[in-house]
Amino acid sequence: MSYYIGIDGGGTKTQYALFDEKKNMLSTVKTEGTNHENMEGGIPEAAALIMKGINDLLLKNALMQSDVTFVLMALAGMDHPYQEEEMAEELKKAGLKIPFSLCNDGFIIVKAGTSGKSGIGYNCGTGTCCNSIDSNGNLLQIGGFGQLSGDVGGGVWIAAETFRAAYDDICLGVRKTVISDIAAEKFGIEKTRNGILSLIARYEAEDAQFIRDMIDVFFEALSQGDKTASVINEAMAQRGAEFIAGHINRQTFNEDVIEVILSGSVHIKLVSDEYIDMMKEKTEALTGRKCCFKRLTVPPVTGTINWMLEKE
């Protein structure tokens, strides 16, 4: 039996999966996030954590490195060839002897969710990134650099926009919105300047639960038809459409209908149909191409085994 290891390394958690040659997921382990950009020790620290995850997976299944045919690592923060080269060197120093390859984690979304070999993956989790693999196998990444690339729609961005909407309402007296009422009830604060300012520390501390709660506040307001929430929603849909259109206009897609796979907690757990429908409409208007938007229904890490066996 041939064994393969796929790794989906995100900003907050990393999944290591053991597969056989029939694409069966035999075992998994999880560690904290392995995005080197979030670590004081950078790539060397991330490589050490990845190596520990691989060793834990091997130990759990009584396997040696020599039993594994290949490892594919899809890692958040792998945005440049020089980063991949440095990570590869650090992994070898850490003791990895199995043949392996590295890519940005956004690319496995395509391989996990499309019915063919090409498509576009748009991920909105804590942050945002849009990746594609075209009909000729070419890879392209758009976004993933925060403010520098105008990323919109990730959890941190939604939380900031939701806070600002409440701030403008309470402190400036403009953009009246039910977001303020929902937030006050959600967090048990007074609908006052001091009340809203008391939430800043949780945002600056990157409190994950706070971010999730603020996203809930936003989508609840959107479901109530709130005007301010609708403006935020349209900004998300517009920028998402621009990212996706960037791929369609720069890559080669031979299919009549281009598959767009939506992943990440914002797209899978919290998103509204209004947002997706608007983004699809805007994308098709920008490109003149027909698209099929689909939420990812399997773990992203399954894209690693699909890709490894496809390459073989």
Side-chain angles (χ1 to χ4, degrees):
M1 178 181 292
S2 297
Y3 295 104
Y4 302 83
I5 293 176
I7 302 173
D8 175 21
T12 57
K13 61 182 181 298
T14 300
Q15 183 173 25
Y16 307 75
L18 181 69
F19 298 94
D20 64 16
E21 72 273 12
K22 296 181 179 180
K23 299 185 180 182
N24 296 311
M25 189 185 298
L26 305 176
S27 179
T28 64
V29 299
K30 289 185 179 180
T31 67
E32 58 267 39
T34 48
N35 186 339
H36 67 276
E37 295 172 343
N38 299 337
M39 298 178 170
E40 289 187 8
I43 287 178
E45 181 181 349
L49 181 57
I50 291 168
M51 196 65 233
K52 180 182 183 304
I54 292 172
N55 286 333
D56 288 348
L57 184 64
L58 293 172
L59 182 62
K60 182 178 179 180
N61 293 276
L63 295 173
M64 305 289 288
Q65 287 199 42
S66 57
D67 296 315
V68 179
T69 300
F70 200 82
V71 180
L72 175 57
M73 306 178 198
L75 308 176
M78 286 289 107
D79 302 315
H80 304 283
Y82 74 84
Q83 292 173 322
E84 295 179 8
E85 292 170 5
E86 183 179 349
M87 178 64 79
E89 287 302 312
E90 290 298 330
L91 287 166
K92 291 174 183 175
K93 289 179 186 177
L96 183 60
K97 297 180 175 59
I98 309 167
F100 67 92
S101 64
L102 298 159
C103 68
N104 181 271
D105 61 329
F107 291 109
I108 60 171
I109 303 304
V110 178
K111 293 303 182 182
T114 55
S115 58
K117 293 184 177 181
S118 68
I120 300 167
Y122 185 36
N123 182 73
C124 283
T126 304
T128 300
C129 195
C130 194
N131 302 67
S132 68
I133 303 173
D134 76 2
S135 299
N136 298 323
N138 297 312
L139 308 183
L140 176 64
Q141 177 181 331
I142 291 177
F145 305 104
Q147 286 186 323
L148 295 177
S149 52
D151 296 355
V152 162
V156 173
W157 181 87
I158 292 175
E161 290 295 308
T162 303
F163 177 89
R164 181 181 174 185
Y167 182 88
D168 285 358
D169 180 9
I170 295 169
C171 299
L172 305 183
V174 298
R175 290 208 301 169
K176 290 300 180 182
T177 173
V178 299
I179 286 174
S180 304
D181 301 304
I182 298 170
E185 181 178 355
K186 184 82 169 179
F187 297 107
I189 60 173
E190 293 183 357
K191 190 180 168 183
T192 63
R193 180 179 184 277
N194 287 337
I196 191 66
L197 293 182
S198 70
L199 300 178
I200 292 179
R202 294 188 63 185
Y203 178 83
E204 292 180 338
E206 300 182 358
D207 183 328
Q209 184 58 54
F210 174 75
I211 300 297
R212 287 192 290 269
D213 287 341
M214 288 295 276
I215 296 170
D216 287 341
V217 169
F218 165 69
F219 280 114
E220 175 57 31
L222 184 64
S223 71
Q224 294 184 24
D226 181 71
K227 183 178 179 180
T228 297
S230 295
V231 170
I232 297 171
N233 182 65
E234 182 162 5
M236 289 170 56
Q238 178 65 34
R239 192 58 172 172
E242 290 170 355
F243 274 23
I244 295 164
H247 287 278
I248 295 173
N249 292 331
R250 286 164 177 74
Q251 295 269 65
T252 300
F253 295 97
N254 297 328
E255 299 80 4
D256 292 332
V257 179
I258 301 170
E259 290 184 286
V260 179
I261 310 304
L262 304 177
S263 65
S265 57
V266 173
H267 283 156
I268 304 302
K269 300 177 182 178
L270 304 165
V271 76
S272 70
D273 290 335
E274 179 184 348
Y275 159 69
I276 293 177
D277 292 343
M278 185 183 294
M279 185 162 55
K280 179 177 182 293
E281 180 181 341
K282 289 177 178 292
T283 299
E284 293 181 342
L286 287 169
T287 62
R289 297 291 300 272
K290 186 173 179 57
C291 301
C292 174
F293 280 55
K294 303 192 299 185
R295 291 183 177 93
L296 188 64
T297 57
V298 297
V301 75
T302 60
T304 61
I305 187 61
N306 293 339
W307 208 356
M308 283 187 279
L309 294 183
E310 181 184 305
K311 288 181 177 180
E312 282 193 349

